[in-house]
Amino acid sequence: MNDRAALELLAAHGPLTRTRLGELTGLSKPTASQLLTRLESVGLVRTTGNVTGRPGPNAQLYEIDPAAAHVVALAVDQEGITAAIADITGQVVGEHRMTAPATDASVTNRTGELVAEAVDGALAAAGLGRDDLHSTVIGTPGALDPRTGTLRYAPHLPGWQSRTLRDDLAAVLNTPIVIENDVNLAAIAEQHHGTAQDFDDFALVWADEGVGAAIVLHGTLLRGATGGAGEIGYMPLPGAPLARGGPDAAARPDGGGGFQKLVGSPAVVELAREHGIDAPTATKALAAALRAPGPGDEVLTELARRLATGLASVVAVVDPELVVLSGEVAQAGGERLRQLVEAEMTGLALPRPQLRISEIEGDPILIGALWTAVASARQTVFDTARFDA
């Protein structure tokens, strides 16, 4: 228990002296010294310079040895796979992006090969090999059904539908594999690094190419019986066609209807075009709208109305303390869009949660996957009892 407490403190605070570690753990100086010697001998802690500039002998600093374990996180989307390697401290040491459009028939039966290629590219950037990996976390649209092992709610990723997907990938990479919903991972990033750090009950609403939500209650993700909690993109709303499924809808990320037909990136591009703003992406369309009084105001007001209508349904059921808006649409609309959504929500739902725009820098899905992978690795690596077995 003392070993783990010391390792967690070093992970949280960075380099510490023996004296400071003793103060934080409540251990005596001799006990703290013995602990650090033991952790150093098994390769979990290393010395990293001295504290200078104060009276008395220079104090030795100790830190987690970054090489104690490495993990890989992957973010999968319709256009390809991004892989990132991090050491046990959470520092990213290598990254690689591989283009592999899901619409390309040649990639359908090559999922394991494509994942391995992305991981190997990141490993090469880090100067590491597959034997250095401890665990893998993969973020994908949709969710892995715990009862069947299949990826649900992601028909636009045909190569990821195998019942043996997790086992196949584990065999390729030779690590434990966690496959997690991408929006859930974005919420984990917010929970530990973003605007939701001080909240136990919050909802993250992701408006991008697709639309989804992650619900965190009492600090824990709500997953649902089939992993589909938060699939609000399919939610029926006034003004949107119903997502009824069928052979034509099954191959489309929006399922043919629902909330995402109103606020997803393609819908934003179309809305802007209806008001005379022609732009190829939602980001550019909203940037233009923010600069265009009149037509731009109309675009932002209508988008805010649509978002508020969907959010009101989520808030009425879950009653979160905070709602975080994330994804391309939210980031592009920024504070102006947030204010308009907040105003539109007045009267739509009795609970009035705080409403914030995500402030995560970088890819929140990848950041959430890295945090999950590092936390999992620490659970095993920091268990020093295994060295005594």
Side-chain angles (χ1 to χ4, degrees):
M1 291 175 62
N2 288 339
D3 287 353
R4 178 172 287 277
L7 289 165
E8 294 290 356
L9 285 167
L10 288 169
H13 294 274
L16 296 171
T17 64
R18 180 195 61 182
T19 300
R20 182 58 180 152
L21 188 62
E23 292 171 351
L24 292 172
T25 58
L27 299 175
S28 67
K29 288 184 178 180
T31 302
S33 294
Q34 292 170 4
L35 179 150
L36 287 168
T37 299
R38 181 169 62 252
L39 294 178
E40 193 171 9
S41 70
V42 296
L44 294 180
V45 165
R46 69 181 185 181
T47 57
T48 178
N50 300 283
V51 176
T52 59
R54 63 182 188 180
N58 293 338
Q60 184 78 60
L61 284 167
Y62 295 85
E63 67 176 3
I64 298 289
D65 188 339
H70 290 88
V71 300
V72 59
L74 300 101
V76 180
D77 56 52
Q78 283 184 271
E79 299 303 320
I81 303 172
T82 301
I85 308 293
D87 60 36
I88 195 68
T89 70
Q91 179 68 39
V92 175
V93 295
E95 193 167 338
H96 181 69
R97 171 70 179 177
M98 188 185 65
T99 301
T103 53
D104 185 346
S106 67
V107 308
T108 300
N109 297 314
R110 297 177 54 228
T111 302
E113 181 182 337
L114 294 172
V115 166
E117 188 176 333
V119 171
D120 287 344
L123 285 169
L128 300 170
R130 289 191 197 176
D131 290 344
D132 295 304
L133 293 178
H134 185 277
S135 58
T136 302
V137 174
I138 304 174
T140 71
L144 207 66
D145 189 327
R147 302 175 303 182
T148 65
T150 58
L151 190 68
R152 304 190 67 196
Y153 315 105
H156 53 299
L157 294 178
W160 291 76
Q161 309 303 320
S162 168
R163 288 178 177 269
T164 62
L165 176 64
R166 186 160 46 192
D167 291 340
D168 294 343
L169 295 179
V172 169
L173 298 179
N174 196 31
T175 75
I177 301 286
V178 172
I179 299 176
E180 178 63 274
N181 172 261
D182 52 3
V183 181
N184 282 350
L185 291 174
I188 288 172
E190 292 293 341
Q191 187 177 25
H192 296 282
H193 301 286
T195 60
Q197 289 182 73
D198 297 326
F199 295 84
D200 290 329
D201 298 274
F202 73 94
L204 179 137
V205 174
W206 179 268
D208 206 283
E209 191 71 21
V211 174
I215 311 297
V216 176
L217 299 177
H218 307 299
T220 303
L221 274 167
L222 177 67
R223 300 182 182 278
T226 65
E231 291 290 342
I232 63 171
Y234 302 100
M235 185 168 62
L237 284 177
L242 294 177
R244 295 186 179 276
D248 293 333
R252 298 167 55 183
D254 61 12
F259 187 30
Q260 51 206 347
K261 293 292 288 185
L262 296 178
V263 299
S265 297
V268 172
V269 171
E270 181 59 31
L271 174 63
R273 189 172 293 123
E274 290 172 1
H275 289 82
I277 298 174
D278 197 355
T281 67
T283 295
K284 292 183 178 180
L286 289 174
L290 288 167
R291 298 191 303 265
D297 294 335
E298 293 175 3
V299 170
L300 292 165
T301 299
E302 173 60 18
L303 177 58
R305 184 191 67 78
R306 295 178 181 185
L307 280 166
T309 303
L311 291 180
S313 297
V314 175
V315 169
V317 174
V318 180
D319 188 18
E321 186 178 0
L322 169 72
V323 173
V324 180
L325 298 178
S326 190
E328 178 189 22
V329 172
Q331 294 294 328
E335 179 60 16
R336 172 81 183 285
L337 179 62
R338 188 204 67 79
Q339 291 175 353
L340 289 170
V341 172
E342 188 173 60
E344 287 285 343
M345 286 186 68
T346 302
L348 287 180
L350 289 178
R352 293 298 304 275
Q354 296 184 48
L355 185 65
R356 298 181 183 177
I357 298 288
S358 171
E359 296 178 354
I360 292 286
E361 295 184 6
D363 183 346
I365 297 167
L366 203 60
I367 291 170
L370 282 168
W371 188 93
T372 303
V374 169
S376 174
R378 287 178 181 173
Q379 279 293 106
T380 302
V381 174
F382 287 2
D383 181 12
T384 57
R386 63 196 173 94
F387 294 107
D388 300 324

